[in-house]
Amino acid sequence: MTLTTKPRGTNDIAPGEIEFWHELEERIRRVCSAYGFQELRTPIFEHTELFQRGIGEATDIVEKEMYTFLDRGQRSLTLRPEGTAPAVRAFLENNLGAGSLPVKLYYYGPMFRYERPQAGRYRQFVQFGFEVFGSADPLLDVEAIMLPLELYKACGLSGFEVEINSIGCPECRPNYRQELIEYFEPRIDGMCSSCKSRLHRNPMRLLDCKVEACQEVLAGAPPIAKHLCADCSQHFSEVLSYLDALGVEYKLNPRLVRGFDYYTKTVFEVTSKELGSQNAIGAGGRYDGLVEELGGKPTPAVGFAVGVDRLLLALKVQGKLKSEETGPQAYLVHFGGETKRRAAWVAHYLRSHGFWVELDYLNRSIKAQMKAANRLNSRLVLIFGEEELDRGRVIVRNMQDGHEQEADLQELEQLAKMVGECAK
């Protein structure tokens, strides 16, 4: 192990790239605000049982991918692999449902899964998601699709596709579960070990298998549509009706089930053709039983999550990420001694008014300081010469056109205005 190498499956987000993240975060907040969502921040680790009960023990995440450890009190804790279960826990613990319904929350932050790293898929990744608690209205299912689509469009992303399905509810599934078992049993020998272990525990999980050897078998699996109860069938029909009315293009995928056990009724996924096999840039659905499963009263809910790393990768592939040249509004050049002290005083004043200001800390020559200002793409250079200081003045040079003028150091408000006008 070397101290200068990051752990496998993690990334540094360095200057030059972090600006793209900041821009995307700001767009996320604007879109969420338009839909009436408020931000929720939960701990990075939670009690392990939260994910075991919430996500389901027969899922890849719980069986293979969680970072779980014992603390000094021998309590089992897990770095959060997804955001919905923590959001439900926070909704219950903070009694957020006591006010008006529905409750709309969004989150943004790092998640952790132990899986094979590849482009857009890391062991520490950033996820943006939102949850709506307290209403079974099919229109909320549709808004859970519309919000990320608005975000993608705001980013300039194109070529994405919405896939949607209904996976029913606990009333619908027993007969479908039996039909799946009967279909897979004579074919299970040719499937992967995970599918074999889940056949009788949770046969719907087989439909989510990504192993290539299983794909041909999955292609012939029976769909759930004929097993949907009247309520689920009506709900899904209304979801599709709203999508049609709002002009949202979508593709029915009868084998879309998602990877978590808590989903009921509507499930959906947004994919990008630019990302190859790992093409999902967001997914979600309704989970009307999870709040009750985690100790609350029956509460319908729906949500969506976006992999930010993967979204940024899709934007990069399409050439939508363009860095703008930025630099300080002013670079303060000095000769050391009293000129440096005066430059530091002016720098503090300008910074307190929100300007990006740099000055020399390496005692370089005037020529070297001017080169540094050029490298940083500074708009202005303020030159603190001894002769000018004796007159209480400073030279202000516009680096775009070379124009120079003097400014009065006793009129710092006027100097700040000059810097501001040049920054526009």
Side-chain angles (χ1 to χ4, degrees):
M1 184 183 74
T2 173
L3 296 179
T4 56
T5 303
K6 62 182 180 291
R8 186 166 184 248
T10 63
N11 279 314
D12 298 314
I13 307 174
E17 184 182 357
I18 192 66
E19 292 80 7
F20 300 134
W21 289 76
H22 290 165
E23 183 178 349
L24 181 55
E25 289 167 25
E26 181 57 33
R27 287 178 178 174
I28 286 171
R29 288 184 167 85
R30 285 201 298 267
V31 172
C32 285
S33 177
Y35 278 80
F37 283 80
Q38 295 180 299
E39 186 175 6
L40 170 71
R41 300 189 183 187
T42 64
I44 286 180
F45 57 89
E46 300 268 3
H47 295 293
T48 301
E49 187 183 3
L50 174 68
F51 301 112
Q52 291 173 334
R53 290 182 60 185
I55 298 174
E57 297 208 29
T59 59
D60 280 343
I61 289 180
V62 172
E63 288 187 337
K64 306 174 184 178
E65 299 172 1
M66 295 203 312
Y67 282 92
T68 297
F69 59 95
L70 295 177
D71 69 4
R72 292 184 178 182
Q74 298 302 297
R75 291 171 289 256
S76 181
L77 301 173
T78 295
L79 298 179
R80 61 186 183 197
E82 59 94 42
T84 297
V88 173
R89 192 268 311 146
F91 171 79
L92 292 173
E93 187 170 354
N94 295 282
N95 199 25
L96 298 180
S100 61
L101 297 176
V103 175
K104 297 181 176 182
L105 305 171
Y106 78 93
Y107 60 85
Y108 181 100
M111 309 289 165
F112 305 85
R113 296 182 193 174
Y114 187 87
E115 51 188 351
R116 185 171 64 86
Q118 50 192 293
R121 185 175 185 175
Y122 309 109
R123 291 178 176 175
Q124 177 178 324
F125 58 98
V126 175
Q127 191 174 83
F128 150 64
F130 56 86
E131 319 293 346
V132 182
F133 299 101
S135 173
D137 191 336
L139 180 56
L140 283 174
D141 301 36
V142 174
E143 289 194 2
I145 298 172
M146 295 290 292
L147 190 156
L149 295 187
E150 290 297 319
L151 172 63
Y152 301 152
K153 290 174 184 176
C155 294
L157 185 68
S158 59
F160 53 83
E161 185 176 68
V162 177
E163 296 186 358
I164 189 169
N165 190 28
S166 176
I167 57 173
C169 67
E171 291 185 19
C172 315
R173 290 180 185 168
N175 290 337
Y176 181 54
R177 182 181 184 278
Q178 186 57 40
E179 185 178 12
L180 284 177
I181 292 174
E182 292 172 0
Y183 171 79
F184 284 119
E185 272 186 335
R187 300 169 175 83
I188 198 66
D189 289 343
M191 301 184 74
C192 69
S193 58
S194 292
C195 286
K196 292 175 181 176
S197 70
R198 294 171 181 168
L199 175 60
H200 291 281
R201 288 188 298 154
N202 194 337
M204 286 184 68
R205 288 276 66 77
L206 276 64
L207 299 175
D208 194 48
C209 182
K210 302 297 189 293
V211 176
E212 188 174 346
C214 299
Q215 293 301 304
E216 187 174 340
V217 179
L218 298 181
I224 194 174
K226 68 179 182 181
H227 294 286
L228 293 181
C229 66
D231 179 58
C232 289
S233 182
Q234 176 65 25
H235 185 95
F236 193 49
S237 177
E238 289 186 34
V239 169
L240 299 183
S241 176
Y242 278 122
L243 289 172
D244 292 335
L246 294 170
V248 179
E249 295 185 6
Y250 59 88
K251 174 184 175 183
L252 292 173
N253 182 350
R255 291 174 185 84
L256 178 65
V257 294
R258 303 295 304 127
F260 304 151
D261 284 354
Y262 52 64
Y263 284 116
T264 58
K265 296 185 178 177
T266 315
V267 291
F268 39 89
E269 189 171 87
V270 182
T271 60
S272 171
K273 300 173 184 177
E274 314 284 355
L275 297 180
S277 60
Q278 295 296 327
N279 61 353
I281 52 174
R286 181 161 285 281
Y287 51 95
D288 291 343
L290 184 57
V291 176
E292 186 176 9
E293 172 66 25
L294 296 182
K297 63 181 181 181
T299 305
V302 63
F304 188 94
V306 175
V308 177
D309 308 77
R310 217 175 274 184
L311 175 55
L312 283 168
L313 179 60
L315 291 169
K316 187 177 294 184
V317 168
Q318 291 191 4
K320 303 299 182 181
L321 297 181
K322 296 179 181 178
S323 59
E324 297 181 3
E325 283 194 359
T326 59
Q329 275 85 36
Y331 190 100
L332 278 50
V333 171
H334 59 80
F335 291 78
E338 183 59 31
T339 65
K340 185 176 181 180
R341 278 187 283 275
R342 189 61 64 90
W345 173 63
V346 172
H348 172 72
Y349 179 87
L350 292 174
R351 287 165 175 166
S352 70
H353 285 70
F355 296 110
W356 176 8
V357 174
E358 294 289 348
L359 69 158
D360 180 62
Y361 304 98
L362 302 176
N363 298 318
R364 290 175 288 194
S365 67
I366 300 302
K367 184 177 180 181
Q369 290 183 57
M370 294 298 293
K371 286 183 177 179
N374 266 321
R375 282 195 301 271
L376 289 172
N377 194 35
S378 180
R379 313 278 183 87
L380 296 176
V381 166
L382 276 57
I383 303 172
F384 290 77
E386 293 177 348
E387 182 180 331
E388 287 76 22
L389 282 187
D390 288 342
R391 296 187 284 110
R393 314 286 286 182
V394 62
I395 298 173
V396 180
R397 177 183 295 180
N398 187 314
M399 296 297 282
Q400 303 296 317
D401 57 20
H403 175 73
E404 287 188 0
Q405 58 182 311
E406 288 189 359
D408 189 342
L409 288 176
Q410 300 305 313
E411 299 289 341
L412 289 184
E413 287 186 13
Q414 189 64 32
L415 179 59
K417 182 178 179 182
M418 189 183 302
V419 172
E421 288 176 352
C422 186
K424 292 179 181 177

